[in-house]
Amino acid sequence: MLELDKIYYEDCIQGMAERIPDESIDLVIADPPFGINFDKMGSQYNRKASLVIPGYSEIKQDYEEFSHGWIKEVYRVLKNTGSFYLISGWTKLREILNAIAKAGFITVNHIIWKYQFGVFTKRKFVSSHYHVLFLVKNPKKYYFNKIDHYPEDVMNLSSQNVGSPVSAMDEYWLNYMENVWEIKRPYNRGKIKNSTKLPEELVEKFIKYSSRPMENGKKAVVLDPFMGNGTTAVACVKNRRNFIGFEINPACKPTIDQNIAEARVMIRDLRDESREKNRQRDIISFMEKGSKQ
């Protein structure tokens, strides 16, 4: 039986093969190593060694072979109604695209995530984006939650008041639903992290669009094969989803555990605050009824 809300510190290919049944996952979010000999302590990142988790390693084998190995396992475990978001840099994008095609995935959207940080360059343009591939097994059955207006909805709303500029809120909806996402990368100064960290806002966007918080009395199950800093697990805790993940670097465990624990405390505090507000409201309502009698 699949054990939920658990992270295994082992190779994700072997782990998925041994631990996860066929078609048992609702959503997959993956930010794999990019295969670029990434130097997490490079001077361009302005990092202190004491704040970077040791043990990060890049892929030694052929990158397309590695990619196909884990992506075909994702295809096996993903439900027919499920979705898969894969984050990639541009240097190995060809290998990624070949691997997803070989596995059988269908591309719904090729999203560009634009962030505010780019590495200094002398003889080329600065790269300040990643590719996010929105993939499914069945293009007719995957779940998609329209939580916002589509751009045409916004334009229809705005056209009702001809001559007026598009409001700030309309502008927000337009940006949110388009396939170019401007989301800042977190810095989290003074906090320990494993290489680069995904913004929680980005991961929450995947979760909210492509999974249900509850169906038939069960929470959606989200898989992250490369858990890193535990951002996917944290976003699941905050958004009432179950998670399962893999991380090959065991040195990440204390940081991931701490991040998850902090998320659970935050949710508990919010619930306590909500209960107290409801209690105060009930007391006021009771007193008001009594004064009218």
Side-chain angles (χ1 to χ4, degrees):
M1 185 176 178
L2 183 62
E3 189 172 354
L4 301 175
D5 296 340
K6 186 173 179 65
I7 298 169
Y8 297 95
Y9 292 88
E10 61 191 24
D11 177 77
C12 69
I13 299 176
Q14 182 178 349
M16 285 188 283
E18 294 178 354
R19 300 183 185 278
I20 305 183
D22 294 356
E23 299 191 2
S24 58
I25 301 296
D26 297 286
L27 173 64
V28 179
I29 299 169
D31 180 23
F34 287 177
I36 55 173
N37 295 319
F38 170 66
D39 179 11
K40 63 184 178 182
M41 288 309 303
S43 60
Q44 68 270 33
Y45 297 109
N46 191 27
R47 293 171 175 165
K48 292 182 179 180
S50 60
L51 297 178
V52 179
I53 298 171
Y56 176 87
S57 61
E58 268 294 354
I59 303 306
K60 302 294 191 295
Q61 71 186 97
D62 178 78
Y63 193 79
E64 186 171 328
E65 179 185 336
F66 160 75
S67 299
H68 182 246
W70 70 265
I71 290 172
K72 72 177 182 180
E73 277 301 309
V74 166
Y75 190 92
R76 178 185 65 80
V77 303
L78 188 66
K79 292 180 180 178
N80 208 31
T81 53
S83 298
F84 172 26
Y85 289 90
L86 197 167
I87 300 166
S88 174
W90 65 271
T91 52
K92 298 291 186 180
L93 184 59
R94 179 184 300 174
E95 289 86 343
I96 288 287
L97 292 172
N98 289 342
I100 63 177
K102 193 182 297 184
F105 277 108
I106 304 297
T107 303
V108 176
N109 279 117
H110 188 150
I111 300 161
I112 297 298
W113 164 31
K114 167 74 173 67
Y115 53 85
Q116 83 282 16
F117 171 80
V119 177
F120 176 75
T121 60
K122 289 184 178 180
R123 294 177 56 82
K124 62 180 181 178
F125 297 107
V126 174
S127 294
S128 60
H129 75 281
Y130 285 134
H131 301 265
V132 180
L133 304 175
F134 174 19
L135 310 167
V136 298
K137 293 171 73 170
N138 190 323
K140 294 182 179 180
K141 292 188 176 182
Y142 69 93
Y143 173 76
F144 189 78
N145 178 27
K146 182 187 171 184
I147 59 176
D148 306 312
H149 295 294
Y150 283 114
E152 58 266 26
D153 297 335
V154 174
M155 298 312 295
N156 288 337
L157 288 171
S158 298
S159 66
Q160 294 172 13
N161 192 5
V162 179
S164 298
V166 176
S167 70
M169 185 56 70
D170 287 348
E171 195 73 43
Y172 169 80
W173 293 127
L174 279 167
N175 291 335
Y176 208 78
M177 276 300 301
E178 291 179 343
N179 65 353
V180 177
W181 299 353
E182 292 193 34
I183 298 176
K184 292 182 178 181
R185 297 173 72 172
Y187 284 113
N188 298 320
R189 291 182 180 178
K191 292 197 72 174
I192 296 174
K193 65 179 181 179
N194 174 42
S195 61
T196 56
K197 186 178 187 298
L198 290 179
E200 204 171 301
E201 180 185 352
L202 179 71
V203 177
E204 285 194 348
K205 197 165 181 176
F206 301 150
I207 289 172
K208 289 177 178 177
Y209 272 115
S210 293
S211 69
R212 294 179 175 90
M214 192 75 71
E215 184 177 15
N216 298 324
K218 295 182 179 179
K219 296 179 183 178
V221 181
V222 182
L223 166 67
D224 188 336
F226 308 94
M227 191 57 82
N229 293 277
T231 306
T232 296
V234 167
C236 285
V237 169
K238 292 182 178 181
N239 290 276
R240 295 187 303 150
R241 270 70 163 182
N242 289 126
F243 65 85
I244 181 170
F246 297 92
E247 172 52 52
I248 201 165
N249 183 5
C252 292
K253 188 177 187 305
T255 297
I256 292 175
D257 288 348
Q258 180 179 348
N259 290 340
I260 294 172
E262 288 174 357
R264 286 177 170 149
V265 168
M266 189 199 79
I267 292 298
R268 185 195 65 200
D269 290 346
L270 287 173
R271 286 173 181 164
D272 290 345
E273 182 180 342
S274 177
R275 290 192 190 102
E276 180 60 23
K277 285 181 178 179
N278 290 337
R279 190 179 73 85
Q280 293 293 337
R281 185 188 61 199
D282 291 342
I283 291 172
I284 293 170
S285 177
F286 175 78
M287 293 177 68
E288 287 176 346
K289 287 178 181 179
S291 65
K292 292 177 182 179
Q293 292 177 355

